């Protein structure tokens, strides 16, 4: 008679079986709601955090270091319920969080501590095991469902010849997405030329796009190669396409349809093979209705549209982005930077209206202005009601768009805007300091 297979957790009666078997162990259920964590040495070994992990140079350590400044059993990390606790084992050179030597500290994913000359980072297992979905030279990074959908959409349009329109909020990474489309597509080895339509002056915008010949206008002492010719066989990225002057929109449409450009002041046309990617945060449909944007150009550009999700819809990506921006700041400042406990959670709970750009700027600002670990209060921007206004622009100036430039007020505002750009060194930084969109400041300067 064949033996019935024994099920896990079933009680064994020794009188029913012969010979006796090894007693079956019933394991406690696994808490799958708790994230699996890993301790990782930067550019070195890793150890899963299950129970206790000892860190040091001794062979008995679960995370063994090759570091002359680390002790044999330098520190240990334990996971106790929903907390991860690191304790220093009276090491010779100490365990450091930023510039502070600690005996005990809480760790959160994305946080790093220094032991000897080694950096130990707490990571989620998904972050360690899953390679970034992007292998191109572009620096896109994410693991959220929204990012995965974006990456799939960009790959789908990358092999097409038609223009692509990228739509998304300011700071959501539209230029990075355009570079990704270029890098994973068949034009990867060809030029990638980027032109911001909001920053070019109306009088030279046509020259920027199509070039000019010598003597085409006053000051044209030498010929200039336009963006289309420079991007031949590659990709031309036109950021803030909604800011392109109307008279140039018709010429851009003609180039898209004919594949030929004519330099300002020139007679001959030049054939170009260019993949055009445009981006905007503006409501182009509304601009078409208001006759601020050509309808025929809109339909030409909007065949392939990719929507970029804001950072508030990519919360799972914030720890990864924080880690990258911290390392970028370390390289720029030449010193170690650490996020204090609670900083990652606070960043994930913040809405980040400026999206990825605002997060990067916040990390660099906090790292530059502080010496110790970055705490949440340093990282998160002040509430609008608490944020100080720039002295370069009166408080009521932000409501002045509908007003024409007339009288003394016009001269005053122009001087204040010019002064802001001069002080901050660029339109982008000046707009950030004034608390207005870059495109708005660019339009005011044009007027």
């Amino acid at each position: 008679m064949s033996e019935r297979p024994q099920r896990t957790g079933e009680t064994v009666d020794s009188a029913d079986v012969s010979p006796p078997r090894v007693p079956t162990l019933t394991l406690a259920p696994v808490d799958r709601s708790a994230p699996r964590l890993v301790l990782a040495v930067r550019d070195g070994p890793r150890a899963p955090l299950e129970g206790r992990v000892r860190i040091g140079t001794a062979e008995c350590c679960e995370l063994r270091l090759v570091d002359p400044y680390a002790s044999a059993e330098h520190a240990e990390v334990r996971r106790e319920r929903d907390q991860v606790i690191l304790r220093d084992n009276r090491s010779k050179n100490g365990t450091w969080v930023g510039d502070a030597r600690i005996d005990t500290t809480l760790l959160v994913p994305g946080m790093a501590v220094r032991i000897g000359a080694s950096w130990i980072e707490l990571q989620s297992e998904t972050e360690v095991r899953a390679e970034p979905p992007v292998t191109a030279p572009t620096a896109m990074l994410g693991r959220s469902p929204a990012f995965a959908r974006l990456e799939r959409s960009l790959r789908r349009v990358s092999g097409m010849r038609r223009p692509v329109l990228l739509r998304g909020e300011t700071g959501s990474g539209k230029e990075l997405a355009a570079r990704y489309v270029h890098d994973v597509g068949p034009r990867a080895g060809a030029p990638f030329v980027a032109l911001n339509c909001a920053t070019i002056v109306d009088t030279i915008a046509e020259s920027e796009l199509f070039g000019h010949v010598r003597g085409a206008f006053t000051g044209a002492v030498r010929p200039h190669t336009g963006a289309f010719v420079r991007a031949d066989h590659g990709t031309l990225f036109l950021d803030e396409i909604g800011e392109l002057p109307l008279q140039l929109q018709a010429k851009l449409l003609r180039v898209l349809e004919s594949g030929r450009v004519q330099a300002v002041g020139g007679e001959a046309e030049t054939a170009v093979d260019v993949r055009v990617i445009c981006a905007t945060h503006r409501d182009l449909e509304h601009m078409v209705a208001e006759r601020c944007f050509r309808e025929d150009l809109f339909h030409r550009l909007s065949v392939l549209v990719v929507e970029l999700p804001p950072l508030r819809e990519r919360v799972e990506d914030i720890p990864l982005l924080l880690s990258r921006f911290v390392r970028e700041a370390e390289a720029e400042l030449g010193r170690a930077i650490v996020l204090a406990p609670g900083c990652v959670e606070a960043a994930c709970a913040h809405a980040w209206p400026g999206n990825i750009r605002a997060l990067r700027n916040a990390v660099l600002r906090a790292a530059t202005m502080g010496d110790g670990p970055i705490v949440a209060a340093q990282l998160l921007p002040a509430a609008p009601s608490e944020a100080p206004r720039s002295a370069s622009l009166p408080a009521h100036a932000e409501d002045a768009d509908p007003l024409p430039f007339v009288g003394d007020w016009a001269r005053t505002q122009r001087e204040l805007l010019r002064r802001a750009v001069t002080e901050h060194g660029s339109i982008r930084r000046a707009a950030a300091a004034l608390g207005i969109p870059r495109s708005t400041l660019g339009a005011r300067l044009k007027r």
Side-chain angles (χ1 to χ4, degrees), residues 207 211-222 263-266:
S207 172
H212 66 252
V213 299
R214 179 181 178 183
F217 48 84
T218 303
V221 296
R222 59 178 62 87
V264 178

Side-chain angles (χ1 to χ4, degrees), residues 121-136:
E121 184 175 348
L122 181 64
Q123 302 175 340
S124 66
E125 189 182 50
T126 54
E127 179 181 346
V128 174
R129 293 192 308 177
E131 294 296 328
V134 178
T135 57

Side-chain angles (χ1 to χ4, degrees), residues 24 36 42 44 63 83 133 141 146 158 207 242 246 278 296 351 381 407-408 426 439:
T24 301
R36 297 176 64 84
R42 289 186 183 175
L63 186 61
Q83 292 184 334
L141 182 66
S158 63
S207 172
L246 272 172
C278 300
D296 47 4
D408 292 339
S426 74
S439 57

Side-chain angles (χ1 to χ4, degrees), residues 149-226:
R149 290 192 296 270
L150 170 63
E151 194 267 342
R152 287 195 299 268
S153 298
L154 296 176
R155 280 189 176 274
R156 285 173 179 169
V157 303
S158 63
M160 306 289 288
R161 295 178 59 89
R162 289 181 176 272
V164 175
L165 179 61
L166 304 176
R167 308 186 72 159
E169 297 178 6
T170 299
S172 56
K174 293 186 286 293
E175 182 170 352
L176 208 59
R179 288 184 178 273
Y180 177 65
V181 171
H182 173 79
D183 287 343
V184 301
R187 299 173 183 260
F192 178 91
V193 178
L195 189 64
N196 191 319
C197 300
T199 60
I200 57 178
V201 182
D202 291 357
T203 54
I204 63 170
E206 186 174 357
S207 172
E208 288 290 334
L209 282 172
F210 312 124
H212 66 252
V213 299
R214 179 181 178 183
F217 48 84
T218 303
V221 296
R222 59 178 62 87
H224 172 68
T225 303

Side-chain angles (χ1 to χ4, degrees), residues 19-55:
R21 299 177 179 178
V22 177
T24 301
L25 298 178
T26 302
L27 301 179
V30 177
D31 182 8
R32 300 188 182 277
S33 63
R36 297 176 64 84
L37 300 175
V38 171
L39 287 169
V41 181
R42 289 186 183 175
D43 302 320
R46 298 182 175 96
L49 183 54
E50 298 174 353
R52 181 182 68 163
V53 172
R54 292 167 294 182
I55 306 172

